[in-house]
């Protein structure tokens, strides 16, 4: 676990002491690094990772105004304002739905052509906030790979007391790469992060990570207590205190195995080669007549349109025909 967090925050030196196990607590690094004073829960994927992080966020922002949502639920609770980019991933809206915050009862903030939140629009939206607030940002937009401008947005969110969550299902892994980590500058200042292992870490499905800065908020949201369940002793960590399930496999093992196999340099190589391939495909296609690459290729996404010089309806038809042709001949 420590190695995993160090790879996401590469400026932090890897600890010399042996880790207590694949799901041991994270307690190492500099004050501004992703790995310091954070706890991670091993979950099924980024969908549940977003759920866990936002559950902690919900509980903490309500606790600050004197409401115990874990005990009393949402009936009569102060309303929570959720600020979210208009091009956020659908799984974040699903998590909000499951948490009783509603997938439509949010303030959707305008985004640019790459799906990145526009700082001025975010500033205006935050200026209207009164009371508990959660701001949801994104590292790696699903279609374009774009990153929200964290260094501009997080200070705005802080001024209104918002909990800042980052959906980094795959984009968070850009932090491993010296060539790409500039895309994620500033996201270490957030309160929680969600990411997946079954993308760039190459683990099987059922490997996601919910990382939360505030351990007490994390535990309050997830702990299940019963007389027959043993409590963690001094220096021990009960993984079930950080995830929604009691019955679960040792998800940390697959993550540990892949990090052990690839090493830090191997993970960087996987990420960078994948992004280089996207750029190479985009450059080759952009040189073909009638073909247009419609996004800035900053990560591993490349969007292409055919019939770029034709009317919209004809261009749509040509694009669909090319897709059908590729699918039919493999």
């Amino acid at each position: 676990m420590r190695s995993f967090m160090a790879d996401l925050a590469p400026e932090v030196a890897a600890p010399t002491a042996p880790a207590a196990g694949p799901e041991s607590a994270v307690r190492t690094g500099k004050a501004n690094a992703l790995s310091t004073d954070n706890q991670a829960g091993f979950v099924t994927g980024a969908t549940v990772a977003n759920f866990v992080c936002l559950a902690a966020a919900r509980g903490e922002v309500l606790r600050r105004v004197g409401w115990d949502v874990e005990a009393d639920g949402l009936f009569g609770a102060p309303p929570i304002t959720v600020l979210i980019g208009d091009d956020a991933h659908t799984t974040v809206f699903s998590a909000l739905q499951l948490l009783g915050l509603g997938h439509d009862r949010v303030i959707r903030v305008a985004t640019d052509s790459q799906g990145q939140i526009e700082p001025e629009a975010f500033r205006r939206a935050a200026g209207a906030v009164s009371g508990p607030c959660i701001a949801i940002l994104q590292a790696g937009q699903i279609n374009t790979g774009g990153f929200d401008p964290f260094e501009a947005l997080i200070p705005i969110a802080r001024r209104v007391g918002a909990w800042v969550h980052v959906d980094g299902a795959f984009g968070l892994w850009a932090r491993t790469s010296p060539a790409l980590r500039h895309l994620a500058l500033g996201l270490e200042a957030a309160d929680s992060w969600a990411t997946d292992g079954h993308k760039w870490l190459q683990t099987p499905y059922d490997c996601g990570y919910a990382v939360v800065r505030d351990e007490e908020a994390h535990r309050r949201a997830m702990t299940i207590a019963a007389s027959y369940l043993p409590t963690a002793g001094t220096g021990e960590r009960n993984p079930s205190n950080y995830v929604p399930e009691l019955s679960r496999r040792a998800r940390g093992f697959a993550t540990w195995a892949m990090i052990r196999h690839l090493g830090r340099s191997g993970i960087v190589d996987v990420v960078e080669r994948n992004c280089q391939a996207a750029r190479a495909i985009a450059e080759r296609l952009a040189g073909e007549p009638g073909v247009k690459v419609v996004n800035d290729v900053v990560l591993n996404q490349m969007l292409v349109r055919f019939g770029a010089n034709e009317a919209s309806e004809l261009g749509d038809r040509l694009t669909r025909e090319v897709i059908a042709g590729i699918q039919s001949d493999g």
Side-chain angles (χ1 to χ4, degrees):
M1 184 65 227
R2 288 189 176 99
S3 297
F4 161 65
M5 296 302 296
D7 275 321
L8 290 183
E11 67 274 25
V12 181
T16 55
E23 300 196 17
S24 59
V26 179
R27 297 291 184 193
T28 183
K30 299 177 183 177
N32 68 339
L34 191 60
S35 62
T36 300
D37 294 328
N38 300 326
Q39 291 291 319
F42 285 72
V43 293
T44 58
T47 302
V48 178
N50 281 318
F51 170 83
V52 170
C53 292
L54 292 172
R58 180 189 65 173
E60 175 58 19
V61 298
L62 287 175
R63 186 196 65 79
R64 294 171 188 170
V65 294
W67 188 271
D68 184 347
V69 72
E70 284 81 24
D72 300 325
L74 289 172
F75 294 102
I80 298 173
T81 300
V82 177
L83 303 177
I84 187 168
D86 201 35
D87 283 301
H89 193 270
T90 184
T91 57
V92 182
F93 293 101
S94 176
L96 293 170
Q97 171 187 332
L98 293 170
L99 289 165
L101 299 177
H103 54 65
D104 288 340
R105 196 181 172 279
V106 298
I107 296 177
R108 298 180 73 130
V109 183
T111 53
D112 62 18
S113 63
Q114 304 301 307
Q116 301 163 147
I117 291 177
E118 295 179 350
E120 186 53 40
F122 188 79
R123 185 176 292 107
R124 289 194 300 270
V129 168
S130 175
C133 180
I134 299 171
I136 301 174
L137 309 181
Q138 187 168 214
Q141 205 275 338
I142 185 66
N143 295 312
T144 69
F147 286 66
D148 286 333
F150 304 108
E151 291 184 308
L153 301 180
I154 293 179
I156 298 171
R158 290 280 178 250
R159 287 197 287 271
V160 299
W163 175 294
V164 180
H165 171 65
V166 176
D167 172 24
F170 62 90
L172 199 62
W173 292 94
R175 289 179 62 89
T176 65
S177 163
L180 299 168
R181 70 180 60 145
H182 66 279
L183 297 169
L185 287 176
L187 67 71
E188 68 277 354
D191 297 292
S192 57
W193 307 262
T195 193
D196 257 324
H198 70 249
K199 293 183 172 68
W200 270 334
L201 192 57
Q202 312 295 304
T203 63
Y205 277 131
D206 199 28
C207 283
Y209 319 112
V211 186
V212 180
R213 183 186 304 280
D214 186 333
E215 180 180 1
E216 289 306 312
H218 195 169
R219 288 170 61 94
R220 279 196 304 268
M222 291 293 118
T223 295
I224 302 171
S227 59
Y228 68 90
L229 294 174
T231 58
T234 303
E236 294 180 337
R237 181 180 189 269
N238 183 350
S240 293
N241 289 341
Y242 304 92
V243 297
E245 319 105 320
L246 287 177
S247 300
R248 51 198 294 274
R249 69 176 179 85
R251 292 196 182 100
F253 182 77
T255 295
W256 173 84
M258 288 307 298
I259 291 175
R260 178 78 173 179
H261 171 69
L262 291 171
R264 182 178 302 222
S265 62
I267 295 171
V268 173
D269 184 57
V270 168
V271 172
E272 291 186 347
R273 280 192 294 111
N274 194 197
C275 295
Q276 289 164 3
R279 290 194 298 271
I281 294 170
E283 290 169 4
R284 179 69 178 269
L285 287 174
E288 296 293 325
V291 179
K292 181 179 181 181
V293 175
V294 297
N295 70 310
D296 298 334
V297 183
V298 298
L299 206 62
N300 67 329
Q301 283 88 344
M302 187 274 299
L303 292 175
V304 62
R305 179 174 174 79
F306 297 88
N309 302 320
E310 306 295 341
S312 178
E313 184 176 339
L314 178 57
D316 289 347
R317 181 170 64 81
L318 290 171
T319 300
R320 286 193 294 268
E321 288 175 355
V322 171
I323 292 170
I326 293 171
Q327 290 174 336
S328 66
D329 69 15

